[in-house]
Amino acid sequence: MTKTNLLTLAAKIAPAVFYGLLAIFLVVYLTKINYSQFATIHWNLQFIVLATLFGLAMRFWQVLIWINLLFNLGAKRLKENISQLTFVYAKSWLGRYIPGTAPWILGKIFFASRLGISKSKLAISSLLEGVLQIAVVMVVSLTILVCINPPHSLNTMMPFLIVALILCIVGVLPPVFNRAIAFTYKFIRKNTLNPEHLVTNKALFQAAALYVISALLSGTALFFIAKAIDPTLSFSNLLYVIGVSNLAGALGMIAIFAPSGIGVRDGIILALLSAILKPEYALVITVAARLWDVVIDLLFVGIAKVFLNRNGVVKNN
């Protein structure tokens, strides 16, 4: 079998492999949830609706950031493919439930490249997106938590957090990021990367500013989940919960061995929310946030699919 035939075969089976792995690990993820924790909880549906709106807003905002990165990198065929790119991002976002960071990144590269978008620009934008997202949410979370007198449980983690934050910030600086990308490209492809694919200061700082908004949306969603379970939670704790949410999200992304940060993210939320809530409430909120994330991610894909169909697009799905 020739190399061309192998690539053609790989392109045909890749979607089936992606969806198969997603189904397997999503089922595993859901079976790890202790549903008995919800037995005695009286949900405030008003706050669940608000959490859902903020959660969906964050996810669609992430699509905007990705497309903006591609635009600043000079990618073509973006405007006519907005609905397709939204659906590509939504279904690739589910790749977070498969262990490792690769499925999330490779999903976007594979599905979006079928729309005629440069694979090099897709790869670079996806890598930058991941590293930059960690850096920004770490900055947001640590700024908030340090400024409002963090709990003792956070103090023991501070040296690690500071080191991780410095590495992320240095790693996304254009001179450092571009050299790393160029070296990796030359090592793998045995060729020099075209300068047009390199990241500019404009692309970096625009994306960073947009990620601050994403961090606030995500943290606010967790606050309303918490308030739906414990109505006594004061709005004066909003910033604290935003900080907790983003710190947990960043550390969950760093822990690439954990599907969607499971375990790592949960542990951070539980430990830090216990500083302001009864431990039993903090535990239920942690479990509820995990289940809610799955539901919202599936809803995100569903809405993106409806948007795709209403625009009359039936190919490359």
Side-chain angles (χ1 to χ4, degrees), residues 45-250:
L45 292 181
Q46 176 185 353
F47 292 127
I48 290 293
V49 170
L50 286 172
T52 300
L53 292 176
F54 275 95
L56 286 173
M58 183 276 288
R59 285 157 175 78
F60 281 102
W61 191 258
Q62 299 267 77
V63 177
L64 173 65
I65 297 173
W66 179 49
I67 294 175
N68 185 67
L69 272 174
L70 287 170
F71 175 79
N72 283 329
L73 287 171
K76 308 298 182 184
R77 304 188 65 180
L78 298 177
K79 186 175 181 180
E80 65 268 31
N81 288 316
I82 294 296
S83 57
Q84 295 101 314
L85 288 171
T86 301
F87 184 56
V88 163
Y89 193 95
K91 62 184 177 182
S92 299
W93 179 264
L94 288 176
R96 299 178 308 131
Y97 294 101
I98 303 173
T101 305
W104 174 47
I105 294 176
L106 294 179
K108 286 186 292 183
I109 296 172
F110 176 79
F111 292 117
S113 65
R114 298 170 75 183
L115 302 173
I117 299 173
S118 165
K119 288 184 178 179
S120 295
K121 295 185 186 300
L122 286 166
I124 292 171
S125 67
S126 296
L127 288 171
L128 179 61
E129 182 187 7
V131 178
L132 186 59
Q133 186 176 357
I134 294 173
V136 171
V137 297
M138 286 277 283
V139 170
V140 170
S141 61
L142 290 180
T143 299
I144 291 174
L145 293 175
V146 169
C147 288
I148 59 177
N149 191 21
H152 178 71
S153 56
L154 185 61
N155 293 335
T156 57
M157 300 171 55
M158 196 59 70
F160 165 76
L161 296 177
I162 292 174
V163 171
L165 177 60
I166 292 173
L167 289 176
C168 288
I169 292 175
V170 172
V172 296
L173 294 176
V176 177
F177 184 83
N178 287 335
R179 286 182 182 179
I181 289 296
F183 175 81
T184 304
Y185 184 89
K186 189 172 184 178
F187 179 79
I188 296 175
R189 302 292 295 272
K190 309 301 180 184
N191 201 356
T192 302
L193 181 66
N194 191 318
E196 74 171 41
H197 298 308
L198 299 179
V199 177
T200 63
N201 289 329
K202 177 184 177 182
L204 175 70
F205 291 118
Q206 278 191 3
L210 292 172
Y211 269 124
V212 172
I213 297 175
S214 174
L216 297 176
L217 291 171
S218 176
T220 303
L222 179 62
F223 173 81
F224 283 121
I225 292 173
K227 195 161 180 62
I229 294 171
D230 183 4
T232 64
L233 178 64
S234 171
F235 278 95
S236 63
N237 294 124
L238 174 60
L239 278 179
Y240 178 81
V241 176
I242 289 175
V244 169
S245 172
N246 283 281
L247 180 61

